C-alpha cells in the first residue's frame, strides 16, 4: 500500500520559515519524481516545486528564491524549505509522487501565514 505522509505545517508569521516533510512508503522512492503542490481556499491546486529522479528541480515563479525542494532517497522523504513566508502562501500543501503510469498524493498539511 502506497502512502505519502506530509508533516511540518502550522501557523507562522509573515517573514517566518517552515520545513515540510513528505515520507513515502510502498514505492521505490528513487524512481519517482516528487512534487509539492498547494491549494488555497477558492483556488485551484497549483504546483509549487518538483524534483526529478536525477535531482533536477523546478519551482513556481511565486516561490523562486524563497522555497527550496530537496529529497533524501535513503529516507524516502522529500522536503520543502519555505523561507520569507507571505500571507499569500497560506494553503494546504500536498505531496505528489509520479512516474510512468503511476501517481500518488498525500493527504495535505495546512500552512497558515498570519500576523
Amino acid at each position: 500500500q502506497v502512502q505519502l505522509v506530509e508533516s511540518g505545517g502550522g501557523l507562522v508569521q509573515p517573514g517566518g520559515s517552515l520545513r515540510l516533510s513528505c515520507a513515502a512508503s510502498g514505492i521505490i522512492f528513487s524512481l519517482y519524481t516528487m512534487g509539492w503542490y498547494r491549494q488555497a481556499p477558492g483556488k485551484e491546486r497549483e504546483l509549487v516545486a518538483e524534483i526529478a529522479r536525477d535531482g533536477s528541480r523546478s519551482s513556481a515563479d511565486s516561490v523562486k528564491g524563497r522555497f527550496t525542494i530537496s529529497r533524501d532517497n535513503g529516507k524516502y522523504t522529500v522536503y520543502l524549505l519555505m523561507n520569507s513566508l507571505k500571507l499569500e502562501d497560506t494553503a494546504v500543501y500536498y505531496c505528489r509522487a509520479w512516474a510512468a503510469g503511476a501517481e500518488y498524493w498525500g493527504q495535505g498539511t495546512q500552512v497558515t501565514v498570519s500576523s
Side-chain angles (χ1 to χ4, degrees):
Q1 180 181 359
V2 178
Q3 281 192 309
L4 299 178
V5 180
E6 299 100 333
S7 61
L11 174 64
V12 63
Q13 291 186 338
S17 298
L18 282 175
R19 189 179 80 156
L20 305 183
S21 300
C22 171
S25 60
I27 60 172
I28 302 175
F29 184 79
S30 61
L31 298 182
Y32 283 73
T33 295
M34 301 299 298
W36 286 97
Y37 288 70
R38 67 185 181 187
Q39 187 167 19
K43 295 189 176 181
E44 293 187 353
R45 192 172 295 189
E46 63 175 0
L47 174 66
V48 176
E50 64 180 16
I51 183 165
R53 294 165 50 179
D54 64 0
S56 58
R57 308 172 190 181
S58 62
S59 60
D61 288 343
S62 59
V63 306
K64 275 187 169 67
R66 300 188 299 121
F67 291 10
T68 302
I69 189 170
S70 61
R71 65 190 297 161
D72 186 332
N73 288 343
K75 294 184 177 180
Y76 275 43
T77 301
V78 62
Y79 304 97
L80 185 68
L81 176 61
M82 305 185 293
N83 294 321
S84 303
L85 282 159
K86 303 177 180 180
L87 297 176
E88 53 264 40
D89 294 319
T90 295
V92 178
Y93 284 71
Y94 298 90
C95 174
R96 178 187 181 217
W98 71 97
E103 176 186 61
Y104 304 99
W105 289 88
Q107 82 289 349
T109 185
Q110 176 71 46
V111 171
T112 301
V113 185
S114 175
S115 55

